[in-house]
Amino acid sequence: SLPTPLRHFFSLFPVYTHAPVPSPYTARPINAPTLWIHPPRNESPELEDLLSSDVECLKWQAYLALRDLSGIYVRWDITEDGAIDGRLPNLQVPTKDGEPGGELLAAHLIPEWADGKAGAGLGDLEGYADEAARDESRAWVSLMEGNVHAALALSYPPPSFLAALITPFPAKHRSLEAMLNPPPAPLTGISSLLPPYGTHLDRNNVMLQYRDAIASLSERLGTDKWFLGSETPTALDALVFAYLHCILHSKDSAVRIEVARRVNLVAWELRVQGQIRSAF
C-alpha cells in the first residue's frame, strides 16, 4: 500500500471514467464495393456523370465494368493524400468479419479482387485469343501509356505557381521523360559548360508520335468488336477506352481531332461507354 501522505496527494487528482463520445469521423459501415476516384467532369447530381476525368481512375472503372461486375459505387470526396501511397483509385470492399470500415485496396490489387468476385480468373491468356495477341497487347499498352499519354498530358493546362505553392500534398504524376521513347534531350548540349539539366521537350515531335499511334490504333481495331480480335473485353479494351474518352473530352482541339476524325474509334468508344456507365 502507498504511504498515507502519498495517498492523500493522489486523492486530490481523482480519475473519472466517461462514456465514449460518438465521432462524426468514425468509419461508416460499407455494404457494397466503392471505388475512390478523381471527380468527374460534371459533378452535378442532375447530370449523373460518374466517369472520372482522370485516365488512370477511368481505366479501372472500365476494367471492373468490362469484367461484368455491377453494383459498384463511386466516391470522389477523398483527395489523393487520403489514398494508399497518395494515389487514386482505391477500392473499398466489405470484409468477411463485417468490420465497419471494410478493407481498402490499392489499384494493383483490383484484378485479384475482381477474379474472386467473377468466380474465375482470366487464365494464362488473360482473355486474349492466343499467345500472339497477348504478347501484342503489351506493345499496345506501352504505346498508350507512352506516346498517347504524353500528348494527353500536354493538353492539360499546367497548374499555376500559386496553386503549386499552397498545395500541401501535390498530385503524383509520371514525368514526361518517363513516357517518351526515346527520352527528350536535356536543355544543355554536349558542348555546354553547364552540366546536363532539365529537358528540351519538342511538342511537335510528341504530336507526330501521337498521330501515328492513333492512326495505328484505328487501323488495328478496324470493324472488330474488341481489340486484337478478342471474343470478350480485355484489360487492353479498358485501357484504350479510358484514353479515347479523355481525349474526346479534351479542350485541346489538336489532340481531340485525331480521334474524332476516325469513325470506328468514336463509335467504339460510344458503345463501350454505355456498357461502363450502366455498371455504376
Side-chain angles (χ1 to χ4, degrees):
S1 60
L2 294 176
T4 303
L6 193 58
R7 285 204 310 271
H8 177 69
F9 176 76
F10 283 163
S11 67
L12 300 177
F13 307 97
V15 178
Y16 296 100
T17 302
H18 299 276
V21 179
S23 170
Y25 302 103
T26 303
R28 294 174 295 178
I30 176 172
N31 301 316
T34 305
L35 191 66
W36 297 4
I37 61 173
H38 283 279
R41 287 174 181 80
N42 301 310
E43 299 185 43
S44 174
E46 292 79 10
L47 297 175
E48 298 183 350
D49 186 7
L50 301 179
L51 299 185
S52 175
S53 59
D54 178 73
V55 68
E56 184 69 16
C57 293
L58 186 56
K59 176 186 74 174
W60 288 109
Q61 278 189 272
Y63 178 85
L64 292 172
L66 295 180
R67 290 292 304 271
D68 289 331
L69 299 175
S70 58
I72 301 174
Y73 290 81
V74 292
R75 61 181 299 181
W76 52 82
D77 58 333
I78 299 176
T79 57
E80 283 187 323
D81 53 288
I84 297 176
D85 296 330
R87 291 182 181 275
L88 293 173
N90 286 172
L91 182 64
Q92 188 181 15
V93 296
T95 57
K96 295 181 180 179
D97 56 4
E99 186 177 347
E103 182 181 6
L104 194 61
L105 305 177
H108 68 275
L109 297 177
I110 293 178
E112 182 180 352
W113 176 85
D115 289 344
K117 295 297 290 185
L122 296 175
D124 294 337
L125 295 179
E126 301 173 14
Y128 298 102
D130 49 39
E131 290 185 8
R134 183 195 60 189
D135 295 340
E136 184 184 351
S137 71
R138 307 290 195 270
W140 286 107
V141 170
S142 178
L143 185 67
M144 300 301 295
E145 293 184 342
N147 296 341
V148 175
H149 195 117
L152 184 62
L154 286 176
S155 68
Y156 294 134
S160 65
F161 175 77
L162 180 60
L165 191 64
I166 64 176
T167 302
F169 302 100
K172 300 178 181 178
H173 297 293
R174 284 192 302 147
S175 63
L176 286 172
E177 296 87 341
M179 301 176 195
L180 298 176
N181 186 22
L187 289 174
T188 55
I190 299 177
S191 59
S192 175
L193 297 177
L194 299 175
Y197 77 96
T199 55
H200 176 69
L201 189 63
D202 188 349
R203 180 180 174 87
N204 292 331
N205 186 47
V206 172
M207 291 304 298
L208 180 61
Q209 293 178 340
Y210 166 72
R211 294 188 190 101
D212 291 342
I214 295 300
S216 300
L217 190 70
S218 176
E219 182 179 357
R220 188 64 178 89
L221 175 63
T223 57
D224 291 343
K225 183 177 181 181
W226 303 110
F227 275 92
L228 308 185
S230 302
E231 295 184 0
T232 56
T234 62
L236 177 61
D237 294 289
L239 178 69
V240 172
F241 168 79
Y243 279 102
L244 293 182
H245 184 80
C246 290
I247 289 170
L248 288 172
H249 288 81
S250 173
K251 296 181 180 180
D252 190 332
S253 58
V255 171
R256 185 178 63 253
I257 198 172
E258 289 301 321
V259 172
R261 62 194 287 262
R262 291 175 167 83
V263 178
N264 65 333
L265 293 182
V266 174
W268 185 88
E269 187 276 338
L270 187 61
R271 176 178 62 84
V272 177
Q273 180 185 152
Q275 182 175 345
I276 293 173
R277 286 186 182 277
S278 63
F280 296 93

